[in-house]
Every structure is written in C-alpha cells, then in structure tokens.
Amino acid sequence: DAGVIQSPRHEVTEMGQEVTLRCKPISGHNSLFWYRQTMMRGLELLIYFNNNVPIDDSGMPEDRFSAKMPNASFSTLKIQPSEPRDSAVYFCASSFPAGGETQYFGPGTRLLVL
Amino acid sequence: SQELEQSPQSLIVQEGKNLTINCTSSKTLYGLYWYKQKYGEGLIFLMMLQKGGEEKSHEKITAKLDEKKQQSSLHITASQPSHAGIYLCGALGGGSQGNLIFGKGTKLSVKP
C-alpha cells in the first residue's frame, strides 16, 4: 500500500492567496484527520471525518479554513485568504476502527506564507 | 480537556546507552499511542497500549502503560543513531471516532 499521500509536499505563497492542500487516505480507511504542527503549539487536530462526514471541526482556527471530503479517497484543506501565521506543517492521517484506531500519517505539507 | 505532558523535552545520549521518555496524562488514558517523527517527515506509528500494566516491545523499544492508566514510558535499550528523532505520545481525546491529542514531543539525539 502506498500509505497516506499528501500534495504538495512544500508550498510557498504570499499573504492573501488561496492555498489548497490535498490528501489521499489509505484505501479502506474510513476516518481521515487533518493536523497542523508548529513549534509553538505542537501537533493540533484541525478536523476529522468519518465515512466522509465531518465529525468535529472545533480545531479549525477560523472561517478562513475549510475542509472537504467529497469521497472516500480524497480530501482537501483550503485556506482563503492565507496569512503568515498559517505557516506550519499540515498532516493528514487515516485510520479504520478494526485497526484499533491507529492513525497512519502522511508525509505532510510544509506551508510558508510570506 | 485532556492534556499530555512529555518529559524530558529533549535528550542527548551516547550511542549504546539506555534511555526513557515519559508521557503523563491529566486524565485516565483509554488508548495511548507512541509515534516517532524524523525532521521533515510524517509520524511513524510505533505502538499502542490500552490496558493498565500493559507492556509492548518492538526491537529495542519497549513501551509501558501504568496500572492507573495515567502514565506511559518509552524505553530504548542500547540506543543507536537510527533512534534519533522526535517521539510523541498521543491519547484518544474522548471523541467516539478516535481523534488523538498529542504531547509536545521529546527530541532525541544519539551521539555516535
């Protein structure tokens, strides 16, 4: 299995631009998680989906952030407009209940907003 | 809300030495996960513990969950440079769908 796939791996953009991060979970996994990692705050859960339905988005910083999961094999995290404080590494992870809720992480997208 | 505190924050050891990393929870743990992260990469799953007193080993890494299920330790025997990285503990955050809360991590450096 290819594991969780994220794209792009690196993104540099200017403040005010729209940023879209993409994730393909492991086939057969029915839960998908978006995390953000910074030096100051560590790893924080932004939102998670179960069977393509958003379950908890309380970690989403503000309305500039939105996430979708149109089908079981694809999810996006969008930031519009982006700000310098959004600079971080964004991880996507997936899991399935029969696996004991173990989450498998993608390699992350390193975002820099200038 | 539940919080996980890891200690130490960073650790430098000589190759071949043993070391222990701790993870303490403010609430009872119902699932404790250990991950390893190398710089610029994603998190790699190491082990999961659920039962009080449970202990699991993989190669030279052993993780334990105490009887009260509020503290876990990760022990590395005869450390090697390949063990270097950031070790994070994560716990089920209480949501029914398995969302995890993470500690801030312990940065391990192994000097050859």
Side-chain angles (χ1 to χ4, degrees), chain A residues 23-105:
Chain A
C23 175
K24 177 179 169 56
I26 293 173
S27 178
H29 285 195
N30 64 343
S31 293
L32 183 140
F33 306 80
W34 282 102
Y35 291 89
R36 178 172 66 177
Q37 187 178 39
T38 61
M39 289 291 290
M40 291 294 294
R41 300 173 68 92
L43 198 61
E44 301 173 285
L45 177 68
L46 299 176
I47 184 171
Y48 70 95
F49 296 83
N50 185 254
N51 293 323
N52 311 339
V53 176
I55 301 300
D56 183 356
D57 65 355
S58 59
M60 296 284 263
E62 47 198 271
D63 292 345
R64 298 184 298 105
F65 284 69
S66 63
K68 294 181 180 180
M69 191 164 186
N71 57 62
S73 59
F74 183 67
S75 177
T76 60
L77 178 68
K78 187 175 292 187
I79 308 172
Q80 166 65 17
S82 58
E83 296 182 3
R85 59 188 168 134
D86 301 330
S87 298
V89 182
Y90 290 82
F91 288 103
C92 175
S94 68
S95 71
F96 66 106
E101 308 286 5
T102 298
Q103 295 183 22
Y104 295 88
F105 282 73

Side-chain angles (χ1 to χ4, degrees), chain B residues 31 39 59-60 73 81 112:
Chain B
Y39 180 76
E59 297 180 343
K60 294 184 178 180
S73 60

Side-chain angles (χ1 to χ4, degrees), chain B residues 53-70:
Chain B
E54 186 175 8
E55 179 176 320
K56 287 186 178 179
S57 293
H58 176 68
E59 297 180 343
K60 294 184 178 180
I61 300 176
T62 300
K64 300 179 184 179
L65 183 62
D66 74 339
E67 290 288 347
K68 292 184 178 180
K69 294 171 63 175
Q70 282 196 277

Side-chain angles (χ1 to χ4, degrees), chain B residues 81-94:
Chain B
S82 61
H83 288 128
I86 300 172
Y87 290 82
L88 295 102
C89 63
L92 290 174

Side-chain angles (χ1 to χ4, degrees), chain B residues 18-79:
Chain B
N18 302 337
L19 64 106
T20 300
I21 298 168
N22 294 301
C23 176
T24 302
S25 172
S26 57
K27 297 183 179 180
T28 300
L29 294 161
Y30 292 100
L32 189 286
Y33 300 74
W34 282 102
Y35 286 86
K36 178 185 175 184
Q37 183 179 26
K38 293 212 163 191
Y39 180 76
E41 299 179 12
L43 280 68
I44 300 169
F45 171 72
L46 295 175
M47 280 171 277
M48 181 191 60
L49 305 166
Q50 286 186 304
K51 301 176 183 176
E54 186 175 8
E55 179 176 320
K56 287 186 178 179
S57 293
H58 176 68
E59 297 180 343
K60 294 184 178 180
I61 300 176
T62 300
K64 300 179 184 179
L65 183 62
D66 74 339
E67 290 288 347
K68 292 184 178 180
K69 294 171 63 175
Q70 282 196 277
Q71 186 169 28
S72 178
S73 60
L74 186 82
H75 184 78
I76 299 177
T77 303
S79 58

